Amino acid sequence: AKFFVARHHGQPVGCGVLAGDGDTREISRVYTVEAARHQRVAYRLIAEMERAARTSGAKLIQLEAGRWQTEALEFFERAGYEPGPPYGRFEDADDRTLSAVMFYDKSL
């Protein structure tokens, strides 16, 4: 896994994780501090993670977020991610778990 940090004047203002190998990567733990929100920090983080995934040979990026995280869900959709099937540890999850999570993917 690779950890990405966005900085502003040397201070961390956002982060995210890119994990996986082969044709598929997973983005997780995308976070932007409150003071840096709506300044395209998350877009730049996602773009850098996508670039790293593409450079390493990935063809697909997957991610998941809680259904209650509406701001995150809207952000991922604006960034070009589309609803996708459960993956990885969620493939055999029970209905209760699946009802709480949205899955997205994006072809590179």
Side-chain angles (χ1 to χ4, degrees), residues 39-86:
Q39 296 177 29
R40 303 194 55 85
V41 171
Y43 279 107
R44 290 192 296 273
L45 276 168
I46 292 288
E48 187 59 31
M49 288 188 275
E50 289 174 355
R51 190 172 12 264
R54 194 176 299 108
T55 299
S56 66
K59 306 288 184 225
L60 180 73
I61 293 184
Q62 297 173 311
L63 58 86
E64 51 88 7
R67 288 185 187 273
W68 67 92
Q69 295 175 300
T70 55
E71 189 173 353
L73 299 176
E74 291 169 1
F75 164 75
F76 291 126
E77 289 177 9
R78 284 191 311 270
Y81 287 80
E82 297 181 353

Side-chain angles (χ1 to χ4, degrees), residues 6-47:
R7 296 183 184 276
H8 182 69
H9 297 296
Q11 297 299 312
V13 294
C15 63
V17 175
L18 179 67
D21 54 19
D23 288 345
T24 305
R25 299 292 183 280
E26 179 183 13
I27 288 178
S28 63
R29 307 294 183 215
V30 177
Y31 176 77
T32 304
V33 297
E34 188 73 34
R37 292 193 180 153
H38 307 291
Q39 296 177 29
R40 303 194 55 85
V41 171
Y43 279 107
R44 290 192 296 273
L45 276 168
I46 292 288

